[in-house]
Amino acid sequence: MTTVAKWCKYFSGKGTKRLLCSASSSRWKIQRRKDIYAQAAHNEGLRSRAAYKLMEIVEQSHFIQQTSVVVDLGASPGGWSMVARQYLELCSKIPWKISLDELADIPAVPVKRSTGRVVRRSRGRLIAVDILDMDPIPGATFIQGDFTERETQQRITKVLYGDEVDVVLSDMCPNTSGVKELDHERIIELAFSASHFAIQHLCNGGTFLCKIFQGAQEKRLISFLEEHFVQVKRWRPKASKSESSECYVLATGFVPVDFQKQQ
Ligand SMILES: C[S@@+](CC[C@H](N)C(=O)[O-])C[C@H]1O[C@@H](n2cnc3c(N)ncnc32)[C@H](O)[C@@H]1O
């Protein structure tokens, strides 16, 4: 934990301050002092306490390699992206934002599934996506937009330049209403949206990780993922708040539909 966090400190930006300054009530501040992960994130210069959740899952499942292509959905303020960045070997010259004009010039290349021996690129890639803005992460690319909109997904596909994706992460979370069933339905919708994107873009053997709130629709999501991945398991990281019903679904060993037909 400490090694990753120390490394991330180097890349921490204004996002941390924004996170820490947004709370004005003294009650919130007392709660935060009791929250060891929020304290640790503050002390170690991480942009969010959520970073510890991804660190725990990746440290145990090792699904991000130096040359992986990673898409981080719901990335702001950037805790997960900073953690993913630590595992990747990125090219420092990649622009953080690509203007709409520049995007318009990029042809939408469909993903080409690799068959046989995969020729790996020499560097990894990280594409962060959020409806909110976010401070830059060197070597990564940022797409600002609502992921559920087709146009945002088309923009992500364009910046992939036909590359298959190794890992799709989704920590997307709707604004919570306090009504448990409603929040559950909303996050499941986001999780399905992210899983459809993953199925279209992941390479053979790829990984999908997404946040959900536990509830009635959870089984439906897991059954859907089991049709496309070799293994699907639920994960509740230590950094998840005890009062929260959040958990993560980790699906590994993606089998593309065209591969399934061959078998
Ligand atoms: C829990 S936060 C993510 C924290 C982040 N993983 C980190 O480590 O810093 C959830 C994020 O999901 C984003 N989000 C929610 N709905 C979205 C959508 N439809 N499209 C894109 N981002 C969305 C929110 O703006 C918010 O930044």
Side-chain angles (χ1 to χ4, degrees), residues 32-91:
R32 202 183 135 267
R33 266 201 294 275
K34 284 187 193 159
D35 180 342
I36 53 162
Y37 288 100
Q39 265 302 319
H42 174 53
N43 294 342
E44 306 210 12
L46 290 168
R47 293 189 192 179
S48 68
R49 68 190 298 296
Y52 294 109
K53 301 174 195 172
L54 183 64
M55 275 181 215
E56 181 186 325
I57 301 172
V58 179
E59 282 294 307
Q60 292 192 37
S61 302
H62 311 284
F63 54 81
I64 305 181
Q65 315 298 325
Q66 278 190 339
T67 57
S68 297
V69 175
V70 179
V71 177
D72 180 13
L73 306 172
S76 184
W80 277 30
S81 285
M82 286 165 76
V83 172
R85 168 73 179 82
Q86 203 262 334
Y87 292 94
L88 297 166
E89 173 99 17
L90 297 179
C91 170

Short mmCIF file of all heavy atoms in Angstrom, two decimals, residues 32-91:
data_model
loop_
_atom_site.label_atom_id
_atom_site.label_comp_id
_atom_site.label_asym_id
_atom_site.label_seq_id
_atom_site.Cartn_x
_atom_site.Cartn_y
_atom_site.Cartn_z
N ARG A 32 -14.45 12.05 9.23
CA ARG A 32 -13.32 11.82 8.34
C ARG A 32 -12.06 11.47 9.13
O ARG A 32 -11.26 10.64 8.74
CB ARG A 32 -13.09 13.06 7.47
CG ARG A 32 -12.33 12.71 6.21
CD ARG A 32 -12.06 13.95 5.42
NE ARG A 32 -10.69 13.88 5.00
CZ ARG A 32 -9.69 14.42 5.66
NH1 ARG A 32 -9.89 15.09 6.75
NH2 ARG A 32 -8.48 14.30 5.21
N ARG A 33 -11.89 12.15 10.28
CA ARG A 33 -10.73 11.86 11.12
C ARG A 33 -10.75 10.40 11.57
O ARG A 33 -9.73 9.76 11.72
CB ARG A 33 -10.70 12.80 12.34
CG ARG A 33 -9.82 14.04 12.07
CD ARG A 33 -9.37 14.68 13.36
NE ARG A 33 -10.48 15.25 14.11
CZ ARG A 33 -10.96 16.48 13.90
NH1 ARG A 33 -10.45 17.24 12.97
NH2 ARG A 33 -11.95 16.93 14.63
N LYS A 34 -11.98 9.87 11.75
CA LYS A 34 -12.11 8.47 12.18
C LYS A 34 -11.88 7.51 11.01
O LYS A 34 -11.66 6.34 11.21
CB LYS A 34 -13.51 8.23 12.76
CG LYS A 34 -13.70 8.80 14.15
CD LYS A 34 -15.06 8.35 14.66
CE LYS A 34 -15.47 9.11 15.89
NZ LYS A 34 -16.91 9.07 16.11
N ASP A 35 -12.01 8.02 9.79
CA ASP A 35 -11.89 7.18 8.62
C ASP A 35 -10.42 7.03 8.26
O ASP A 35 -9.81 7.95 7.69
CB ASP A 35 -12.69 7.84 7.47
CG ASP A 35 -12.64 7.04 6.19
OD1 ASP A 35 -11.75 6.17 6.05
OD2 ASP A 35 -13.47 7.29 5.32
N ILE A 36 -9.85 5.88 8.59
CA ILE A 36 -8.40 5.72 8.42
C ILE A 36 -7.99 5.79 6.95
O ILE A 36 -6.90 6.23 6.63
CB ILE A 36 -7.86 4.41 9.06
CG1 ILE A 36 -8.65 3.20 8.56
CG2 ILE A 36 -7.85 4.48 10.57
CD1 ILE A 36 -7.92 1.89 8.79
N TYR A 37 -8.88 5.36 6.04
CA TYR A 37 -8.51 5.37 4.62
C TYR A 37 -8.51 6.80 4.08
O TYR A 37 -7.65 7.17 3.29
CB TYR A 37 -9.45 4.47 3.81
CG TYR A 37 -9.18 3.02 4.08
CD1 TYR A 37 -9.97 2.29 4.95
CD2 TYR A 37 -8.09 2.38 3.49
CE1 TYR A 37 -9.70 0.96 5.23
CE2 TYR A 37 -7.81 1.05 3.75
CZ TYR A 37 -8.62 0.34 4.62
OH TYR A 37 -8.33 -0.98 4.89
N ALA A 38 -9.47 7.61 4.54
CA ALA A 38 -9.49 9.02 4.10
C ALA A 38 -8.26 9.73 4.64
O ALA A 38 -7.61 10.52 3.94
CB ALA A 38 -10.76 9.69 4.59
N GLN A 39 -7.90 9.43 5.88
CA GLN A 39 -6.71 10.02 6.50
C GLN A 39 -5.45 9.60 5.74
O GLN A 39 -4.61 10.44 5.42
CB GLN A 39 -6.58 9.53 7.95
CG GLN A 39 -7.18 10.46 8.97
CD GLN A 39 -6.55 11.84 8.91
OE1 GLN A 39 -5.34 11.98 8.74
NE2 GLN A 39 -7.38 12.87 9.01
N ALA A 40 -5.37 8.28 5.46
CA ALA A 40 -4.19 7.78 4.75
C ALA A 40 -4.08 8.41 3.37
O ALA A 40 -2.99 8.82 2.95
CB ALA A 40 -4.26 6.26 4.65
N ALA A 41 -5.23 8.53 2.69
CA ALA A 41 -5.22 9.13 1.35
C ALA A 41 -4.74 10.58 1.45
O ALA A 41 -3.94 11.04 0.62
CB ALA A 41 -6.62 9.06 0.74
N HIS A 42 -5.21 11.29 2.46
CA HIS A 42 -4.80 12.68 2.66
C HIS A 42 -3.29 12.76 2.93
O HIS A 42 -2.56 13.52 2.29
CB HIS A 42 -5.60 13.26 3.83
CG HIS A 42 -5.17 14.64 4.21
ND1 HIS A 42 -5.08 15.67 3.31
CD2 HIS A 42 -4.79 15.16 5.41
CE1 HIS A 42 -4.66 16.76 3.92
NE2 HIS A 42 -4.48 16.47 5.20
N ASN A 43 -2.83 11.91 3.86
CA ASN A 43 -1.40 11.94 4.24
C ASN A 43 -0.49 11.56 3.09
O ASN A 43 0.61 12.07 2.96
CB ASN A 43 -1.13 10.98 5.41
CG ASN A 43 -1.84 11.44 6.67
OD1 ASN A 43 -2.23 12.59 6.78
ND2 ASN A 43 -2.03 10.53 7.62
N GLU A 44 -0.95 10.61 2.27
CA GLU A 44 -0.08 10.09 1.21
C GLU A 44 -0.31 10.78 -0.13
O GLU A 44 0.21 10.37 -1.15
CB GLU A 44 -0.26 8.58 1.09
CG GLU A 44 -0.04 7.91 2.44
CD GLU A 44 0.50 6.51 2.34
OE1 GLU A 44 0.92 6.11 1.25
OE2 GLU A 44 0.50 5.83 3.37
N GLY A 45 -1.12 11.81 -0.14
CA GLY A 45 -1.31 12.61 -1.35
C GLY A 45 -2.11 11.92 -2.43
O GLY A 45 -1.97 12.23 -3.61
N LEU A 46 -2.96 10.96 -2.05
CA LEU A 46 -3.80 10.30 -3.05
C LEU A 46 -5.05 11.16 -3.31
O LEU A 46 -5.52 11.86 -2.42
CB LEU A 46 -4.23 8.92 -2.55
CG LEU A 46 -3.10 7.89 -2.47
CD1 LEU A 46 -3.55 6.67 -1.71
CD2 LEU A 46 -2.66 7.50 -3.87
N ARG A 47 -5.60 11.05 -4.49
CA ARG A 47 -6.74 11.91 -4.81
C ARG A 47 -8.04 11.43 -4.18
O ARG A 47 -9.00 12.19 -4.12
CB ARG A 47 -6.91 11.99 -6.33
CG ARG A 47 -5.77 12.72 -6.99
CD ARG A 47 -6.09 12.97 -8.44
NE ARG A 47 -4.91 13.42 -9.13
CZ ARG A 47 -4.89 13.68 -10.42
NH1 ARG A 47 -5.99 13.54 -11.15
NH2 ARG A 47 -3.78 14.09 -10.99
N SER A 48 -8.13 10.17 -3.81
CA SER A 48 -9.35 9.68 -3.17
C SER A 48 -9.05 8.44 -2.36
O SER A 48 -8.10 7.71 -2.64
CB SER A 48 -10.42 9.35 -4.22
OG SER A 48 -10.02 8.22 -4.98
N ARG A 49 -9.90 8.19 -1.34
CA ARG A 49 -9.74 6.98 -0.53
C ARG A 49 -10.05 5.74 -1.37
O ARG A 49 -9.62 4.64 -1.04
CB ARG A 49 -10.62 7.04 0.71
CG ARG A 49 -12.10 6.98 0.42
CD ARG A 49 -12.99 7.28 1.59
NE ARG A 49 -12.90 6.40 2.72
CZ ARG A 49 -13.23 5.11 2.72
NH1 ARG A 49 -13.67 4.56 1.61
NH2 ARG A 49 -13.12 4.40 3.81
N ALA A 50 -10.80 5.94 -2.47
CA ALA A 50 -11.16 4.82 -3.36
C ALA A 50 -9.92 4.13 -3.92
O ALA A 50 -9.97 2.95 -4.26
CB ALA A 50 -12.05 5.32 -4.50
N ALA A 51 -8.81 4.86 -3.99
CA ALA A 51 -7.56 4.30 -4.53
C ALA A 51 -7.20 2.99 -3.81
O ALA A 51 -6.74 2.04 -4.43
CB ALA A 51 -6.43 5.31 -4.39
N TYR A 52 -7.44 2.95 -2.49
CA TYR A 52 -7.07 1.75 -1.71
C TYR A 52 -7.88 0.52 -2.12
O TYR A 52 -7.42 -0.60 -2.00
CB TYR A 52 -7.23 2.02 -0.21
CG TYR A 52 -6.25 3.06 0.28
CD1 TYR A 52 -6.68 4.33 0.64
CD2 TYR A 52 -4.89 2.79 0.32
CE1 TYR A 52 -5.78 5.30 1.05
CE2 TYR A 52 -3.98 3.74 0.74
CZ TYR A 52 -4.43 5.00 1.10
OH TYR A 52 -3.54 5.96 1.49
N LYS A 53 -9.11 0.77 -2.62
CA LYS A 53 -9.94 -0.37 -3.03
C LYS A 53 -9.30 -1.04 -4.26
O LYS A 53 -9.16 -2.26 -4.32
CB LYS A 53 -11.36 0.09 -3.37
CG LYS A 53 -12.06 0.78 -2.22
CD LYS A 53 -13.41 1.34 -2.66
CE LYS A 53 -13.96 2.32 -1.66
NZ LYS A 53 -15.15 3.03 -2.14
N LEU A 54 -8.93 -0.22 -5.22
CA LEU A 54 -8.33 -0.80 -6.44
C LEU A 54 -6.97 -1.44 -6.13
O LEU A 54 -6.66 -2.52 -6.63
CB LEU A 54 -8.19 0.26 -7.54
CG LEU A 54 -7.65 -0.29 -8.86
CD1 LEU A 54 -8.62 -1.31 -9.47
CD2 LEU A 54 -7.38 0.82 -9.87
N MET A 55 -6.19 -0.77 -5.26
CA MET A 55 -4.87 -1.33 -4.90
C MET A 55 -5.05 -2.75 -4.36
O MET A 55 -4.34 -3.66 -4.75
CB MET A 55 -4.23 -0.51 -3.78
CG MET A 55 -3.47 0.68 -4.24
SD MET A 55 -2.79 1.46 -2.76
CE MET A 55 -2.90 3.16 -3.25
N GLU A 56 -6.03 -2.92 -3.45
CA GLU A 56 -6.24 -4.23 -2.83
C GLU A 56 -6.60 -5.28 -3.89
O GLU A 56 -6.04 -6.38 -3.90
CB GLU A 56 -7.37 -4.14 -1.79
CG GLU A 56 -7.61 -5.47 -1.10
CD GLU A 56 -8.82 -5.46 -0.17
OE1 GLU A 56 -9.08 -4.43 0.47
OE2 GLU A 56 -9.51 -6.50 -0.10
N ILE A 57 -7.49 -4.91 -4.80
CA ILE A 57 -7.95 -5.90 -5.80
C ILE A 57 -6.84 -6.24 -6.79
O ILE A 57 -6.61 -7.40 -7.10
CB ILE A 57 -9.23 -5.38 -6.52
CG1 ILE A 57 -10.33 -5.12 -5.49
CG2 ILE A 57 -9.72 -6.38 -7.57
CD1 ILE A 57 -11.58 -4.43 -6.03
N VAL A 58 -6.10 -5.22 -7.24
CA VAL A 58 -5.04 -5.48 -8.24
C VAL A 58 -3.89 -6.24 -7.59
O VAL A 58 -3.31 -7.14 -8.20
CB VAL A 58 -4.54 -4.18 -8.90
CG1 VAL A 58 -3.44 -4.47 -9.91
CG2 VAL A 58 -5.68 -3.46 -9.60
N GLU A 59 -3.56 -5.88 -6.34
CA GLU A 59 -2.44 -6.56 -5.67
C GLU A 59 -2.72 -8.06 -5.56
O GLU A 59 -1.81 -8.87 -5.60
CB GLU A 59 -2.22 -5.99 -4.26
CG GLU A 59 -1.48 -4.65 -4.26
CD GLU A 59 -0.05 -4.75 -4.75
OE1 GLU A 59 0.70 -5.57 -4.24
OE2 GLU A 59 0.29 -4.00 -5.68
N GLN A 60 -4.00 -8.43 -5.44
CA GLN A 60 -4.31 -9.86 -5.29
C GLN A 60 -4.61 -10.55 -6.61
O GLN A 60 -4.47 -11.75 -6.72
CB GLN A 60 -5.49 -10.03 -4.33
CG GLN A 60 -5.07 -9.63 -2.93
CD GLN A 60 -6.08 -10.04 -1.88
OE1 GLN A 60 -6.69 -11.09 -1.95
NE2 GLN A 60 -6.24 -9.18 -0.89
N SER A 61 -5.05 -9.80 -7.62
CA SER A 61 -5.44 -10.46 -8.87
C SER A 61 -4.51 -10.19 -10.05
O SER A 61 -4.64 -10.82 -11.09
CB SER A 61 -6.86 -10.05 -9.24
OG SER A 61 -7.72 -10.39 -8.21
N HIS A 62 -3.60 -9.23 -9.90
CA HIS A 62 -2.54 -8.96 -10.89
C HIS A 62 -3.05 -8.85 -12.32
O HIS A 62 -2.52 -9.49 -13.21
CB HIS A 62 -1.48 -10.08 -10.86
CG HIS A 62 -1.01 -10.40 -9.49
ND1 HIS A 62 -0.14 -9.60 -8.80
CD2 HIS A 62 -1.32 -11.43 -8.65
CE1 HIS A 62 0.07 -10.11 -7.60
NE2 HIS A 62 -0.64 -11.22 -7.48
N PHE A 63 -4.09 -8.09 -12.57
CA PHE A 63 -4.61 -8.03 -13.94
C PHE A 63 -4.15 -6.80 -14.73
O PHE A 63 -4.53 -6.65 -15.88
CB PHE A 63 -6.14 -8.17 -13.96
CG PHE A 63 -6.88 -7.19 -13.08
CD1 PHE A 63 -7.12 -5.90 -13.50
CD2 PHE A 63 -7.32 -7.58 -11.83
CE1 PHE A 63 -7.79 -5.01 -12.68
CE2 PHE A 63 -8.00 -6.69 -11.00
CZ PHE A 63 -8.23 -5.40 -11.43
N ILE A 64 -3.33 -5.95 -14.14
CA ILE A 64 -2.78 -4.83 -14.92
C ILE A 64 -1.28 -5.06 -15.12
O ILE A 64 -0.53 -5.18 -14.16
CB ILE A 64 -3.02 -3.46 -14.25
CG1 ILE A 64 -4.52 -3.26 -13.95
CG2 ILE A 64 -2.51 -2.32 -15.14
CD1 ILE A 64 -4.87 -1.92 -13.30
N GLN A 65 -0.88 -5.17 -16.40
CA GLN A 65 0.54 -5.36 -16.74
C GLN A 65 1.08 -4.05 -17.31
O GLN A 65 0.31 -3.16 -17.66
CB GLN A 65 0.70 -6.47 -17.80
CG GLN A 65 -0.11 -7.73 -17.56
CD GLN A 65 0.28 -8.43 -16.27
OE1 GLN A 65 1.44 -8.41 -15.89
NE2 GLN A 65 -0.70 -9.01 -15.60
N GLN A 66 2.39 -3.98 -17.47
CA GLN A 66 3.03 -2.74 -17.97
C GLN A 66 2.48 -2.27 -19.31
O GLN A 66 2.39 -1.09 -19.59
CB GLN A 66 4.54 -2.99 -18.14
CG GLN A 66 5.31 -2.84 -16.86
CD GLN A 66 6.80 -2.86 -17.10
OE1 GLN A 66 7.26 -3.35 -18.13
NE2 GLN A 66 7.55 -2.34 -16.16
N THR A 67 2.10 -3.24 -20.18
CA THR A 67 1.67 -2.85 -21.53
C THR A 67 0.15 -2.96 -21.71
O THR A 67 -0.35 -2.97 -22.83
CB THR A 67 2.37 -3.75 -22.58
OG1 THR A 67 2.05 -5.12 -22.28
CG2 THR A 67 3.87 -3.57 -22.59
N SER A 68 -0.57 -3.01 -20.61
CA SER A 68 -2.03 -3.14 -20.71
C SER A 68 -2.67 -1.87 -21.25
O SER A 68 -2.15 -0.76 -21.06
CB SER A 68 -2.65 -3.41 -19.33
OG SER A 68 -2.20 -4.63 -18.81
N VAL A 69 -3.82 -2.05 -21.90
CA VAL A 69 -4.66 -0.91 -22.29
C VAL A 69 -5.81 -0.90 -21.27
O VAL A 69 -6.55 -1.88 -21.17
CB VAL A 69 -5.21 -1.06 -23.72
CG1 VAL A 69 -6.18 0.08 -24.06
CG2 VAL A 69 -4.07 -1.10 -24.72
N VAL A 70 -5.90 0.19 -20.51
CA VAL A 70 -6.89 0.26 -19.43
C VAL A 70 -7.85 1.42 -19.67
O VAL A 70 -7.44 2.53 -19.98
CB VAL A 70 -6.17 0.48 -18.06
CG1 VAL A 70 -7.18 0.57 -16.92
CG2 VAL A 70 -5.16 -0.64 -17.79
N VAL A 71 -9.15 1.13 -19.54
CA VAL A 71 -10.17 2.20 -19.63
C VAL A 71 -10.78 2.32 -18.24
O VAL A 71 -11.30 1.33 -17.69
CB VAL A 71 -11.24 1.87 -20.69
CG1 VAL A 71 -12.32 2.95 -20.70
CG2 VAL A 71 -10.62 1.76 -22.08
N ASP A 72 -10.69 3.52 -17.65
CA ASP A 72 -11.17 3.76 -16.28
C ASP A 72 -12.44 4.63 -16.36
O ASP A 72 -12.37 5.83 -16.62
CB ASP A 72 -10.05 4.47 -15.50
CG ASP A 72 -10.45 4.78 -14.05
OD1 ASP A 72 -11.46 4.24 -13.57
OD2 ASP A 72 -9.72 5.56 -13.41
N LEU A 73 -13.60 4.00 -16.14
CA LEU A 73 -14.89 4.71 -16.24
C LEU A 73 -15.30 5.25 -14.87
O LEU A 73 -15.25 4.52 -13.89
CB LEU A 73 -15.96 3.77 -16.78
CG LEU A 73 -15.64 3.05 -18.09
CD1 LEU A 73 -16.70 2.00 -18.40
CD2 LEU A 73 -15.55 4.06 -19.23
N GLY A 74 -15.71 6.51 -14.83
CA GLY A 74 -16.04 7.15 -13.55
C GLY A 74 -14.74 7.42 -12.81
O GLY A 74 -14.59 7.06 -11.65
N ALA A 75 -13.80 8.07 -13.51
CA ALA A 75 -12.43 8.17 -13.02
C ALA A 75 -12.16 9.33 -12.05
O ALA A 75 -11.22 9.26 -11.27
CB ALA A 75 -11.48 8.31 -14.21
N SER A 76 -12.98 10.38 -12.11
CA SER A 76 -12.70 11.58 -11.32
C SER A 76 -12.93 11.33 -9.82
O SER A 76 -13.87 10.62 -9.47
CB SER A 76 -13.61 12.71 -11.82
OG SER A 76 -13.33 13.90 -11.15
N PRO A 77 -12.13 11.84 -8.89
CA PRO A 77 -11.01 12.77 -9.09
C PRO A 77 -9.70 12.12 -9.54
O PRO A 77 -8.73 12.81 -9.80
CB PRO A 77 -10.84 13.40 -7.70
CG PRO A 77 -11.31 12.36 -6.76
CD PRO A 77 -12.41 11.61 -7.46
N GLY A 78 -9.61 10.80 -9.63
CA GLY A 78 -8.42 10.21 -10.25
C GLY A 78 -7.68 9.19 -9.39
O GLY A 78 -6.59 8.76 -9.76
N GLY A 79 -8.26 8.80 -8.26
CA GLY A 79 -7.58 7.82 -7.39
C GLY A 79 -7.26 6.52 -8.12
O GLY A 79 -6.12 6.06 -8.11
N TRP A 80 -8.25 5.96 -8.80
CA TRP A 80 -8.04 4.68 -9.50
C TRP A 80 -7.05 4.86 -10.66
O TRP A 80 -6.20 4.02 -10.89
CB TRP A 80 -9.37 4.13 -10.04
CG TRP A 80 -10.17 3.38 -9.03
CD1 TRP A 80 -10.18 3.59 -7.67
CD2 TRP A 80 -11.06 2.28 -9.27
NE1 TRP A 80 -11.03 2.70 -7.07
CE2 TRP A 80 -11.60 1.89 -8.01
CE3 TRP A 80 -11.48 1.61 -10.41
CZ2 TRP A 80 -12.52 0.84 -7.88
CZ3 TRP A 80 -12.39 0.56 -10.28
CH2 TRP A 80 -12.89 0.19 -9.03
N SER A 81 -7.19 5.96 -11.38
CA SER A 81 -6.29 6.17 -12.52
C SER A 81 -4.85 6.27 -12.05
O SER A 81 -3.93 5.78 -12.70
CB SER A 81 -6.67 7.46 -13.27
OG SER A 81 -7.83 7.25 -14.04
N MET A 82 -4.64 6.93 -10.88
CA MET A 82 -3.27 7.03 -10.36
C MET A 82 -2.71 5.66 -9.99
O MET A 82 -1.54 5.38 -10.22
CB MET A 82 -3.25 7.95 -9.12
CG MET A 82 -3.41 9.40 -9.48
SD MET A 82 -3.81 10.36 -8.02
CE MET A 82 -2.22 10.44 -7.23
N VAL A 83 -3.57 4.81 -9.44
CA VAL A 83 -3.12 3.46 -9.09
C VAL A 83 -2.81 2.67 -10.37
O VAL A 83 -1.75 2.06 -10.50
CB VAL A 83 -4.19 2.72 -8.23
CG1 VAL A 83 -3.84 1.26 -8.03
CG2 VAL A 83 -4.36 3.41 -6.88
N ALA A 84 -3.74 2.73 -11.34
CA ALA A 84 -3.52 2.00 -12.61
C ALA A 84 -2.24 2.50 -13.27
O ALA A 84 -1.44 1.70 -13.77
CB ALA A 84 -4.72 2.20 -13.54
N ARG A 85 -2.04 3.80 -13.22
CA ARG A 85 -0.87 4.43 -13.85
C ARG A 85 0.43 3.86 -13.28
O ARG A 85 1.44 3.76 -13.97
CB ARG A 85 -0.97 5.95 -13.60
CG ARG A 85 0.25 6.78 -13.91
CD ARG A 85 0.43 6.89 -15.40
NE ARG A 85 1.58 7.69 -15.77
CZ ARG A 85 2.83 7.24 -15.79
NH1 ARG A 85 3.11 6.03 -15.43
NH2 ARG A 85 3.81 8.02 -16.21
N GLN A 86 0.38 3.49 -12.00
CA GLN A 86 1.58 2.99 -11.36
C GLN A 86 2.04 1.65 -11.94
O GLN A 86 3.22 1.35 -11.97
CB GLN A 86 1.33 2.86 -9.86
CG GLN A 86 2.59 2.90 -9.02
CD GLN A 86 3.08 1.51 -8.65
OE1 GLN A 86 2.28 0.57 -8.59
NE2 GLN A 86 4.36 1.37 -8.42
N TYR A 87 1.08 0.87 -12.43
CA TYR A 87 1.42 -0.44 -12.99
C TYR A 87 1.82 -0.36 -14.45
O TYR A 87 2.38 -1.28 -15.00
CB TYR A 87 0.23 -1.40 -12.87
CG TYR A 87 -0.10 -1.77 -11.44
CD1 TYR A 87 -1.05 -1.06 -10.73
CD2 TYR A 87 0.56 -2.82 -10.81
CE1 TYR A 87 -1.34 -1.39 -9.41
CE2 TYR A 87 0.28 -3.15 -9.50
CZ TYR A 87 -0.69 -2.42 -8.80
OH TYR A 87 -0.96 -2.74 -7.51
N LEU A 88 1.44 0.75 -15.11
CA LEU A 88 1.62 0.83 -16.56
C LEU A 88 2.89 1.56 -16.96
O LEU A 88 3.34 2.46 -16.25
CB LEU A 88 0.42 1.59 -17.17
CG LEU A 88 -0.95 0.95 -17.01
CD1 LEU A 88 -2.05 1.96 -17.34
CD2 LEU A 88 -1.07 -0.25 -17.93
N GLU A 89 3.38 1.19 -18.11
CA GLU A 89 4.49 1.92 -18.72
C GLU A 89 3.85 2.80 -19.80
O GLU A 89 3.45 2.30 -20.85
CB GLU A 89 5.44 0.90 -19.34
CG GLU A 89 6.56 1.44 -20.14
CD GLU A 89 7.85 1.51 -19.34
OE1 GLU A 89 7.95 0.85 -18.29
OE2 GLU A 89 8.74 2.22 -19.79
N LEU A 90 3.69 4.09 -19.52
CA LEU A 90 2.97 4.96 -20.46
C LEU A 90 3.93 5.87 -21.20
O LEU A 90 5.01 6.20 -20.72
CB LEU A 90 1.94 5.83 -19.73
CG LEU A 90 0.79 5.12 -19.01
CD1 LEU A 90 -0.10 6.14 -18.31
CD2 LEU A 90 -0.05 4.30 -19.97
N CYS A 91 3.49 6.31 -22.37
CA CYS A 91 4.29 7.26 -23.14
C CYS A 91 3.97 8.66 -22.61
O CYS A 91 2.82 9.08 -22.57
CB CYS A 91 3.92 7.15 -24.61
SG CYS A 91 4.65 8.45 -25.60
#
